Amino acid sequence: MLLVLLGGAVGAPARFLLDRTVQSRHDSVFPWGTLSVNIIGSLILGALAGAATAHDSALWTLVGTGFCGALTTFSTFGYETVRLFEDRARLFAVGNVVVTVVAGLAAAALGFAVVHAVTA
C-alpha cells in the first residue's frame, strides 16, 4: 500500500504538470495533454513489463500501479471524449478514441520491445 501511495504521489503531480504544459501549447479543443500522459504512461508500463519486473512485485507496485496508475487517466479520457461529442466536435471525439487506443498500445509495445531487447 505504501509503494502505491509513493508512486501515486509522484505520478499525480506529474500528470497535472505535464497535462497543463502540453495543453497550454495548443490552441485546440482536442485534449492533447491527456493524450500525452496516457501515451507516456503506456510507454513506461510497457518498458517495465519488458524488463520482466512483473516478477519484482515491489517495483511493479511502485512504478506500475502507483506511478503509472496516477499518471495515466482513463476517466479524464472518457470525460473529454464525451465533452467533445456534446460540443459537436465529433471528429475530434472519434479521433481522440482512435489515437489514444492505437498510440497507447503502440507505445506499450514499443516500450516492451526496446527494454526487452536491451535486457535480454
Side-chain angles (χ1 to χ4, degrees), residues 1-12 48 53-71:
M1 180 83 119
L2 183 59
L3 291 173
V4 173
L5 180 67
L6 291 173
V10 175
L48 187 64
T53 56
H55 303 294
D56 181 353
S57 64
L59 184 59
W60 187 265
T61 301
L62 175 70
V63 178
T65 303
F67 179 77
C68 288
L71 178 68

Side-chain angles (χ1 to χ4, degrees), residues 28-32 77-97:
S28 170
V29 297
F30 190 84
W32 292 105
F77 158 70
Y79 164 75
E80 289 173 343
T81 301
V82 169
R83 185 184 49 95
L84 288 168
F85 268 110
E86 289 176 345
D87 292 345
R88 300 185 190 275
R90 290 182 174 88
L91 188 58
F92 280 135
V94 171
N96 189 36
V97 171

Side-chain angles (χ1 to χ4, degrees), residues 32-46:
W32 292 105
T34 301
L35 176 66
S36 298
V37 296
N38 285 337
I39 292 171
I40 291 168
S42 295
L43 180 69
I44 293 168
L45 198 56

